[in-house]
Amino acid sequence: MPRQRTWARLATALLTGLAACLLVPTNAAAAAEPPPTGKLAALRSGQLPLRVGTDATFPPFEFTDAQGNQLGFDVDLVRALAARAGIKNVEFVQMPFGNIVPALQANQIDVGSSAIYISAERAKAVDFSDIYYPGGLAIFANEKDNSIASLADLAGKRVAVQVGTKSVDWLKQHQPAAQLITVQTNEQMFSSARLGQADAVVTGAPAGKYFIAQQGGLKQVGDRLTDENYGYAFQKLDPDLRDAFNTALKQIRDDGSYQQITEKWFGAETTATKPAERPLFNVTTIIESSGQIWQGLLVSIQVILSALVLSLLLGTVGGFAKLSRIPPVRWLGSAYVSVIRGTPFVVQLFFIYFGLPQLGLQFPPMAAGIIALGLYSGSYVTEIFRGAVQSVDRGQLEAARSCGMPHASAMRHVIIPQAFLRMLPPLGNEFVSMTKNSALVSFVTIHELFLVGQTIISRTFDALTVYLFIGLLYYLLTNLIGFATSTIEKKMAVYI
């Protein structure tokens, strides 16, 4: 079979696979797009699912079990409220706490449910339900540390807080001398105090008391610092859904259902027993979570392969653009490389997922992650392609042209095959780098390996075992890519 036909079929297969990864989720998003009016009616009819954004790393409000199911007070209460409001389907979307309000503004979710304090500042961006649980900030410190007895003692101390939470602004206003250590998850916050990386934690009192009951190692210092309350967050343009939740909340308070849910999750604070001592590397943690880890690994592989195909396409097009003799085309290629390579990947990822919806262009999480990763890697592939082509002796192109070959044929049959072989080592390095960057797409709620690991840690508090095992899986993936590029390089060498 002629090699040209083989390459054509390979390219068609790659394009088809990429389209399956990007277009299918996009169509799904279009199907999930709420109609301009009657959104509550669509939720009640089952036409649309209720999308609930949550950071399921905050027990007892929300966390995941070994099978990946989301549990907790908020999860049970939202399901009860939705059922009472007549909403048929509820989908919980895992995301970092700090992304919940932006996701509501971008219409990526319908409800924010993650032990969110009602505050005047947040109320400027989102609407809140009525109060569903009393909260309030409190100080927690290592149980062996007696140097902290009040808010005044936090001056000069390292205090762990979770990004995007009320604790951050409150401490800046009421104890500006404290050194804030901002972390991503609830587990990281408590672990930093227990391991001595922080002197204290300031967070919601219910979550802190639950951690002490389950894991120990910390103690609450003094009384609560504030008397604040939790509420569910809604889009500003969605008062019908908010009112339906408020009506349902009043109904379940009246009939006793609310009290049952409260007793289920907060009654455990006084009855839970501290876990027994466990080995430094706890294999049981991995075995019990093997299903979750396997699913996360499959998602990671899907993201990596799809982004790899997209980066190759963009890099090839960009490389030809930078080599073009037409100035506007060459300028376009240079601008692509300059902008994408000159800005952080996370900024591009958030711009695509949270920024573009404000311009009317909305992507589901998987498509946004793949596009961002492919765009970012494609800018580096563009330079690899350009450099490899220009490294081929120009005399070969001139010789081919002197034999009567058109410029395109000379490039296709003489220059590109040699350049492709020279691209392989740097392409392998770039794809290894892209594989490691794929962990960052967890910020836009894609349940890949790293995000799955964080949810497991929030349940088991076994960061050492989980991060070691996930690191090992990434190590195997990157070495597999290196082996594949090396093998292709050896196979292709016979044609040169």
Side-chain angles (χ1 to χ4, degrees), residues 50-231:
L50 180 70
R51 304 165 299 174
V52 183
T54 186
D55 181 1
T57 61
F58 197 64
F61 285 93
E62 44 268 321
F63 58 101
T64 60
D65 63 12
Q67 288 71 45
N69 302 312
Q70 282 153 328
L71 309 173
F73 176 70
D74 274 337
V75 176
D76 282 358
L77 188 56
V78 165
R79 291 193 186 281
L81 294 175
R84 193 61 63 95
I87 297 171
K88 294 186 179 303
N89 302 316
V90 179
E91 292 180 358
F92 286 89
V93 181
Q94 171 66 30
M95 59 179 56
F97 183 88
N99 289 356
I100 291 177
V101 170
L104 280 167
Q105 293 175 310
N107 191 30
Q108 301 284 3
I109 57 174
D110 304 306
V111 183
S113 166
S114 197
I116 304 172
Y117 280 135
I118 300 173
S119 71
E121 192 64 28
R122 286 176 177 153
K124 295 176 183 177
V126 296
D127 278 345
F128 280 103
S129 68
D130 293 338
I131 298 166
Y132 71 84
Y133 194 79
L137 299 177
I139 302 172
F140 298 89
N142 192 298
E143 61 183 359
K144 299 177 182 177
D145 186 355
N146 296 317
S147 65
I148 300 174
S150 66
L151 177 63
D153 293 334
L154 294 183
K157 300 285 188 181
R158 299 165 300 167
V159 182
V161 292
Q162 188 176 5
V163 64
T165 62
K166 175 67 181 295
S167 308
V168 180
D169 292 334
W170 192 90
L171 270 176
K172 287 180 179 176
Q173 293 176 9
H174 295 86
Q175 184 46 281
Q179 301 175 24
L180 300 189
I181 299 176
T182 305
V183 299
Q184 286 290 333
T185 67
N186 184 55
E187 179 276 333
Q188 292 170 356
M189 190 171 52
F190 289 124
S191 293
S192 63
R194 196 167 58 171
L195 299 174
Q197 296 165 336
D199 300 307
V201 168
V202 172
T203 187
K209 291 175 67 176
Y210 185 83
F211 178 88
I212 293 171
Q214 296 292 319
Q215 299 295 322
L218 299 182
K219 62 181 179 183
Q220 181 174 342
V221 176
D223 298 327
R224 296 189 183 193
L225 300 172
T226 63
D227 290 319
E228 294 175 301
N229 301 296
Y230 295 115

Side-chain angles (χ1 to χ4, degrees), residues 245-299:
F245 260 60
N246 286 338
T247 302
L249 182 60
K250 184 177 184 308
Q251 291 174 352
I252 67 170
R253 284 186 193 277
D254 293 342
D255 67 15
S257 303
Y258 174 86
Q259 188 60 30
Q260 292 177 5
I261 298 173
T262 303
E263 286 294 329
K264 175 183 176 182
W265 292 107
F266 294 101
E269 288 182 10
T270 55
T271 59
T273 56
K274 294 181 180 180
E277 291 293 329
R278 62 190 180 198
L280 199 57
F281 186 83
N282 189 8
V283 180
T284 305
T285 300
I286 303 302
I287 295 174
E288 290 178 347
S289 307
S290 58
Q292 269 185 286
I293 295 174
W294 174 247
Q295 290 299 321
L297 179 62
L298 292 180
V299 173

Side-chain angles (χ1 to χ4, degrees), residues 22-33 364:
L22 295 179
L23 297 181
V24 171
T26 304
N27 291 338
E33 190 68 21

